[in-house]
Structures are given as C-alpha cells and as structure tokens.
Amino acid sequence: MSATDPCPPFPPARTSHDELEHADEYDAPGDQEAESLLHADHQRPSPNRAYFIRSLALLCACSLSIGSHYATYILGPLKSRLAREMGTNNTEFSLLISAFSLNSTWTPLVGGVLASRLGTTVTSVLATGVIFLGQACLLIGNLTNSVRLMAFGMFVFGLGVSPLAVVQETIIVRFFKSHGLGVSLALGLVAGKGASFISALTSYPLSQRFGPHAPFYASTFLTAFSFTINLVYVFSSKWLVRGSGTELEASEIHAEAHSRAASAADMSEADALKEVAKKRMVHLRDITKLGDVFWAYIGLNVLCGAVWAPFTHLVANILQCRFDLEESDASTKGSYVLAGSVFLYPIIGMVVDRVKKRNIVMKLFLLSAILTLNCYIWLALPPSWTKSPMPALISFASGHGFSPLLLVVIVPRIVPLKYVSTTLGTHKALEQTGSTIFQTLAGLALDIKSKKSAETLSPIDGDDGDVQYLLNAFVILNVFEILGILGLSHLHRKQQATAARRMSALLPTAVDESDEEPLEPQPAKEPRTDENWQAESPEGNQHRRSSTLGRHGPLSSSSTLEQSIPLLRGAGSRSSTVRGSRYLVDAVIEDEPSEPPTQAKVLRTKAEVRRGELFSVMCGVLIAFAWVLFMVTAWLKLRSKEERGGGGKR
C-alpha cells in the first residue's frame, strides 16, 4: 500500500473455509498478513485428502473416551454384588459415584482454559494419563477390598474425565466446524456412549464368568488403550492439522512464532504471530459478559446433571427393589437406558444438520425432557398398576439418547467460536455439580430406613417408601428441566430479535451525512480491557470487512443483508452507541431457516454484566456446596473393612 492511499486495502475475497480460519478482528491489515503467514508455506489440500485426514482425526477423537466411558458405568450393575461381597451400603456406593463426579465440578473449567492455552494435544494427554492412573487405583482397591482406596481411585479418575470430554468435543468442533458438525459430533460421542452401554451390559456377566475383579481389569485395560491412541494423536497432530487445512490453535501459533523468532530475518513475522495468538487466548472472567442466554444454558445444565446421571447409576437397584427382579435381570434391563445414544446420536446429528427449521434444537430438547419425565412418572406409579418397567426404560433411553448431544450442539449457536471450549468446560462443570449433589443426597435418602425395616433389609436395600421419595424427586426435577428449556428458548428468541433489530437499524439506507455528529479523533489502538471487551467471531469479522466496502463504494446488486452492515467498531458507529452500555457482543440471527445463520452485534448493559457476575458467584457457591456435602458425608459414612464386618460375604 502506498503512502497516498486514503484507506487500508480490503481483505481479498475468501472461501467459506478461509472465513472460518480468520476468526479475529481486523483491527489492522497486519492481522491479515500475520494470518497469511501461518499458511504461506503450505499448499491447500485437495478436498478428498482433507476429508480423509479429517476422518482420521475423528477416529482418534472417538478412541480417546472409550476407556473413560466404559469405566464410568461398571459400578452401577455391581451395586448389589458389592454390597454382598464388600458390605457396602447405599451411601458408600453413592460416594463412589460422587467421588468420580466431584472433580468434574471444576476440572472442565480448567480443561476448557487449558485446551485454549496449552492446546488440545497436551491437555488430552494429561487427561487420559490421569484417567488411567485412577482406574489402576480403583482396581487395586477392589483387589484389596478397600472401599476407601476405591473411592480415591474414582476421585483421581474424575480429575481427567471431564477435561477429556471438553478436549474431545473441542477437537471435533475444530476439525468439523464447517463440515457437518452435527453428524461429526454425533459420531464422536456415539463411540463413548456405545462403550457406556457395553459396560453396563457386560460388567455383571463378566463378574459372574471370570470373577468379581474382571470388570475392573477390563476398564483398566481400555483406559490404557485410550491413552495409547492419545499418544498416536499427539505425534501426528501437526500432520493432521496441516493436511486438513484446519485453523491453528493459540498454542500452535505460539510455537510457530518461537520457531520463527530463532531467525533474525523472521522477527517481524514472529511478533505478528504472537499478536494473533494473544487475541485467541481466552480468560475465564470473560464468561460474565456472555449474556443471559449463556447463564440460562448453564442453569439448565445443573438440572440436567441431577436428572440424568444419578438415574443411570441407580436404575438397576431401583428396578430390583421396585419390581422384585433378580439381580442379573435388573442389571440387564438397567443397561437398556444407555442403549438409545448408540442409535439416536447419528440420527439426531443428521436431523440437526439437514432440517432447516427455526429452533429445531430447542424443540428436540423439549421432546427429550418430556420422554424422561414419562419414564419417572411411570416408575413412580404403583408397580401393581404398571406391571413392567420396560415402557419407562424405553422412554428414558429415547429421551436421554440424544439430549446430551443437543447440549453440545447448542454451544456454537449461543457463543462465538473463540469461547466454545470454555463454554463446554463450564457446561460440564455445572452438569457434574448437579449430578454430584443429587447422587450424594440420593444415597443418604435410600439409607434412611424405619426401625422395623432396618432389621430386615440388607444394607443396600431401601424400603419402598425411600425409593418412592427418590422417584418423586426425579419427577419434580424433570419438570424444572422442562421449564428451564422453555426459558432458554424464550431468551434465545428475544436475543435474536434484538440482534435483528440492531442489524436492520444499522443498514446504510439513505443516510443524510449532514445530520451526523462530528467524529471525535480516535486513539490509534487501545489495549483490550474489561471496559472495551468485545466478543469475536468469524461472521462478525466478515461483517466488518464487507461493511467497510459498503462505506467506501456502492454495494453490488448481489450484496446481502450481512454485507450491508456498517462497521460497528468504527468511529462513526461508536458515536451512535448507547452511552449507558459498555459491551458489544455477537449474537446469532436465523433470518431464514434454509439459510446459514448470520450474526450481528448486541449491546450488553451494565445490569446484564452484573447479573453475569452474580451468576458466576452462585455457580462457585454451588460447586463449593457439592464439595462440602461430599467431604462431610465421606468423613461420616465411609467405613473401613473391619467396620463393614470383614468385607461382606464372598
């Protein structure tokens, strides 16, 4: 660009792939040049080669969670057997499950930040390594008949489970964000869900056929397998990224910058790359500015955690007590609640990608909540009326069979791509918080027996009144989940309408320049602080790029609404901003169901940001409560082998 040019050159036309790769703001042409440096030495791969390499990346991502999902669900079908052979009661069993989910109340937050800071490769190795270590401790505890060591193993195991889930989903979003994300996420998650179903189906038969320790050996072997596959992914990650033309992570850009800084001739390029990497860094405090829709989504996760996970671990014992089933029959039937995901994940993934109807995800989510509610109502009715648990199990398997996928698919629709990993981490943390609290309370409730029944029941069996209260609680929580979905849908539509009105108001139609306020001189560039924080997204960048063209020249007849938006961050638009508001963030607008969603800026008022700060404090308090509840219960209720009467009967 010559010194006489009146304005900087505009970015050249890009393909949709390029637009997704350049997710940072175009504050200066240097950012464009820095981005181009990342791919200067690499030729764009052919579509067939990119598809093949993305498939390999998906295969690796699927394999990462097989071991952890299998290990998560081996205990549920073994509840009665553990009580018989080790003398555990309901509270101790619930503490085993809660020990695993307890660390998941905070590790997903760290996992999301680590994924954006250290990269998915390093974070995934840490997660799978910790999972393998925890399963080894669980196996040793089972071999030595120590419930306390088993609880410690589950505690260590839980350190890695949620960060691994966040990393796995981030990897899939990274490689497939513009290549059928719904189906790709479904295929990525169905491997883990399939392992969960196989675990619940086979753990009790394995203990019968090969001895009581066989399920624990199997889970330890599979976690070692996932760790090995993870090492393969780490060593091939650079080839996978380059070969598929995938956007580099902040950690990878830093590494590229350091390698180029070794050469004096490349110092300017290294500085430019470091600036791009800095823009892609995520701070956890930024979630307070993501708006009411984000916090409604997080609150919904707490309810989902309480409604879903505890039931999948307790269902076999509930069926055994409620319908007088044999232990093996209850275990087999209980495993059916995990079968729906194996079949429904791919189907719902294709529906989300191909059915172009407004609010389709919310409608499916509401359907799933109604199906799980039907399950709890059926089980809560007197068994003399219902006779069989199968309608309830089918209803739960159908509803829970696709709802976790929808919780993930929603994320790119409510936050910018930059914050996907952090939002996934927050969603996992609060979902596990709800699960931990309700799982612990459920165990305590099932151990509250009348004096008369306490003399006749085994330590693992609650009387029918205890089970009835538990099922009633599931019904109430499920109703609140439905109300939460309706509230989230309302807030999402409201935000879309607000963003659409702002987009329409900013169209440059018949502007009388004589009425405009004189422009104040702007500083060259201020450092990013909380006072000028602004969320970023690829679409937002395209708005800014195309709007610059709109101001400096006439729009072509084929220009779209998205291409007609004025530069929101420019001097002219800043003067029109409501002065009582501080934050501009991206929001999705679905103008036509058959068209891709566009994005526009919406204002976050100070009141909304303060609500975000309040909700973040409430989430912290809820996580702290889960920890206090678990620690106090474990201190009072976990017994040694001698206190359990020698470990039960063999």
Side-chain angles (χ1 to χ4, degrees), residues 553-561 563-564:
L555 293 170
S556 65
S557 58
S558 62
S559 62
T560 64
L561 176 66
Q563 293 171 324
S564 305

Side-chain angles (χ1 to χ4, degrees), residues 275-352:
E275 181 66 22
V276 174
K278 182 179 179 181
K279 287 187 175 184
R280 293 188 182 176
M281 290 296 182
V282 175
H283 300 282
L284 190 59
R285 64 178 179 269
D286 289 344
I287 66 173
T288 62
K289 308 181 185 77
L290 292 179
D292 292 338
V293 174
F294 170 82
W295 290 110
Y297 168 76
I298 295 302
L300 180 61
N301 275 274
V302 178
L303 293 171
C304 290
V307 169
W308 296 342
F311 180 75
T312 61
H313 295 294
L314 296 172
V315 59
N317 190 245
I318 290 174
L319 297 180
Q320 186 179 352
C321 298
R322 193 75 168 164
F323 293 91
D324 295 325
L325 299 178
E326 294 293 331
E327 189 175 334
S328 59
D329 191 23
S331 173
T332 301
K333 284 184 168 63
S335 67
Y336 295 159
V337 299
L338 299 172
S341 301
V342 179
F343 307 102
L344 292 176
Y345 266 34
I347 296 174
I348 297 301
M350 287 188 290
V351 169
V352 170

Side-chain angles (χ1 to χ4, degrees), residues 598-616:
T598 57
Q599 292 195 17
K601 297 294 181 182
V602 295
L603 293 169
R604 296 278 186 250
T605 63
K606 292 182 180 180
E608 191 171 5
V609 175
R610 288 196 188 100
R611 285 198 298 273
E613 294 169 352
L614 174 62
F615 290 142
S616 64

Side-chain angles (χ1 to χ4, degrees), residues 40-99:
D41 301 329
H42 302 275
Q43 193 174 17
R44 180 178 297 280
S46 65
N48 290 335
R49 175 179 170 81
Y51 175 81
F52 173 72
I53 293 178
R54 282 195 301 270
S55 300
L56 292 179
L58 180 61
L59 182 62
C60 289
C62 291
S63 303
L64 296 183
S65 64
I66 289 178
S68 60
H69 276 87
Y70 187 91
T72 298
Y73 289 95
I74 61 170
L75 291 177
L78 300 177
K79 183 180 179 182
S80 296
R81 185 167 194 135
L82 291 175
R84 186 172 62 254
E85 297 176 350
M86 299 181 64
T88 58
N89 58 23
N90 287 293
T91 301
E92 287 173 321
F93 177 81
S94 290
L95 287 173
L96 284 175
I97 303 299
S98 297

